[in-house]
Amino acid sequence: MKPVILSAGDEKFLYSVPDAVSDNLEAYCMEFCGEWLESSPDAEPYRHNSSGYIIYCYTEQDFITYLNRFRFPNEISKFIRSLGNTVPEAYQHLPEFDF
């Protein structure tokens, strides 16, 4: 398990995720956003119809739930702490993804 920084707004959060996710963070995040949210029946709660357009509503915690439930159920990702609006210098070397 390795630390990563995730954000779906102004605030950034530190999570512990499987090594494979940390090493390929952008790919896993894009798989979640671009493939799973669009096509999985399990993603239905995140899809909303607005004037004929599909809008996706999710947070970084939803990505963590996706990892834990569908991709890495034997390697549970966990919240570590909030980092606030800016990444402290001690964490700036970590992989980061803003949804």
Side-chain angles (χ1 to χ4, degrees):
M1 302 295 282
K2 292 181 181 176
V4 298
I5 299 167
L6 300 173
S7 176
D10 291 336
E11 193 167 1
K12 299 187 181 292
F13 301 95
L14 189 64
Y15 285 90
S16 175
V17 298
D19 291 3
V21 176
S22 177
D23 294 344
N24 300 287
L25 184 60
E26 184 172 351
Y28 278 97
C29 290
M30 295 308 294
E31 174 186 280
F32 168 74
C33 296
E35 296 172 27
W36 187 79
L37 282 174
E38 289 182 16
S39 62
S40 175
D42 294 307
E44 187 63 35
Y46 305 108
R47 294 191 288 261
H48 304 278
N49 190 330
S50 177
S51 301
Y53 296 97
I54 301 296
I55 296 173
Y56 302 95
C57 298
Y58 58 91
T59 67
E60 67 284 331
Q61 180 57 51
D62 298 319
F63 172 66
I64 295 298
T65 299
Y66 159 78
L67 292 176
N68 290 341
R69 188 167 173 212
F70 301 105
R71 297 294 275 135
F72 295 92
N74 296 322
E75 296 180 77
I76 300 300
S77 297
K78 296 181 182 172
F79 172 79
I80 298 173
R81 60 174 249 162
S82 171
L83 299 175
N85 294 340
T86 58
V87 177
E89 189 174 330
Y91 299 110
Q92 289 181 359
H93 67 284
L94 296 177
E96 181 176 351
F97 193 87
D98 295 320
F99 289 94

